[in-house]
Amino acid sequence: MICIGARFDDRITGRLDAFSPNSTKIHVDIDPSSINKIVHVDLPIVGDVAHVLEDMVRIWRASSFHSQPELKGWQTQIAKWRARDCLSYRHSDDVIMPQYALQRLNEAIKGRKDVYISTEVGQHQMWAAQYLGFESPNHWLTSGGFGTMGYGLPAAIGAQVAHPGALCINVAGDASILMNIQEMSTAVQHGLAPKTFILNNSYMGMVRQWQQLLHGNRLSHSYTDSLPDFVKLAEAYGAKGIRVTKPGELDDAIQEMIESPEPVLFDCCVAQLTNCFPMIPSGKAHNEMLLPDEATDEAVANAIDTAGKSLV
Ligand SMILES: Cc1ncc(C[n+]2csc(CCOP(=O)(O)OP(=O)(O)O)c2C)c(N)n1
């Protein structure tokens, strides 16, 4: 296992003592204090990753290791894992599945070099990472594991200032977008036109998912039935609002959003109770992750133990 600049936080490792127990680990990091801090590694390499990787690739190419027959079994195993569609979901003709909305958005922006995507935090953030294709570096602005709701709109505005002619899209949740909604005013005042694509499920979906799957569906403070009307809210700022509620309306509405010269709040009303997979419950190991077709009642009931719950 080659770990490059890895922090080995618990979202990455799952249960520590079950984290890839049989692998030989190589850890490349510029900061010596990060080595052996959380995970014991067999071969630490302290250095600038750009140089280390260059050397590693050169040595790898010159070696005959990659053509050795012993690797066949391992490659077959990897191919078996890859063949599983871990991002599958059940499509609906009546209700917009959030994954489908992003697939349609992706279809509309595919091939364009001038697209910058930012996100807020939650299920929408993970779905954006899963269903949008990224062709070039530095086009994906997300707070990652730091999880800062409210980041996406200012980030999209910043990207738009830096790249005036580009298409800057903030993929948002209905809760996250409200954290910094006042920045719509900044966008309008400065003649910037970022688009916010809200996957509106009326829930703090990620919180609801954890409450459902790991806490016996005891939902607490994760539902909002008093959300603002995002179309009117956009208009109140002097921007444009678009709402879609049916899968068949998506393509035309997405085009309208992209072609619009003003900032847009795109209120995409999606299935409310969709869960985002794969998911590793707190305190569990990577090989115990829940995949969509495995998230049965039994798997969910056993998904988290008392030690795990205390981590949540
Ligand atoms: C400022 C801030 N507060 C709280 C959280 C914890 N948190 C993570 S995701 C989430 C809910 C996000 O809901 P929403 O924006 O509607 O996105 P969804 O999960 O429904 O896609 C919360 C409260 C956070 N990451 N940042």
Side-chain angles (χ1 to χ4, degrees), residues 270-287:
V270 296
Q272 293 192 332
L273 302 175
T274 314
N275 289 329
C276 181
F277 294 105
M279 169 183 183
I280 306 175
S282 287
K284 293 278 175 174
H286 274 194
N287 56 354

Side-chain angles (χ1 to χ4, degrees), residues 64-85:
S64 59
F65 187 67
H66 42 82
S67 53
Q68 279 175 18
E70 296 91 302
L71 283 181
K72 275 276 167 303
W74 177 231
Q75 280 158 352
T76 312
Q77 175 66 55
I78 292 174
K80 216 165 105 192
W81 284 328
R82 279 196 177 137
R84 277 198 70 172
D85 183 4

Side-chain angles (χ1 to χ4, degrees), residues 121-124 147-149 173-176 179 201 203-207:
V121 177
Q123 292 179 314
H124 63 274
T148 321
M149 289 167 76
D174 45 270
S176 291
M179 294 265 162
N201 52 17
Y203 279 94
M204 296 196 193
M206 191 157 90
V207 176

Side-chain angles (χ1 to χ4, degrees), residues 156-175:
I157 291 173
Q160 196 75 83
V161 170
H163 306 279
L167 176 60
C168 299
I169 304 176
N170 170 32
V171 177
D174 45 270

Side-chain angles (χ1 to χ4, degrees), residues 243-300:
R243 174 171 302 116
V244 290
T245 56
K246 295 283 168 214
E249 300 165 354
L250 269 171
D251 286 351
D252 285 351
I254 288 172
Q255 263 329 307
E256 188 187 343
M257 172 186 87
I258 290 174
E259 283 161 19
S260 163
E262 333 113 284
V264 174
L265 288 183
F266 189 100
D267 186 16
C268 186
C269 302
V270 296
Q272 293 192 332
L273 302 175
T274 314
N275 289 329
C276 181
F277 294 105
M279 169 183 183
I280 306 175
S282 287
K284 293 278 175 174
H286 274 194
N287 56 354
E288 297 170 290
M289 74 169 67
L290 300 176
L291 291 170
D293 47 350
E294 283 166 354
T296 58
D297 289 349
E298 194 195 343
V300 165

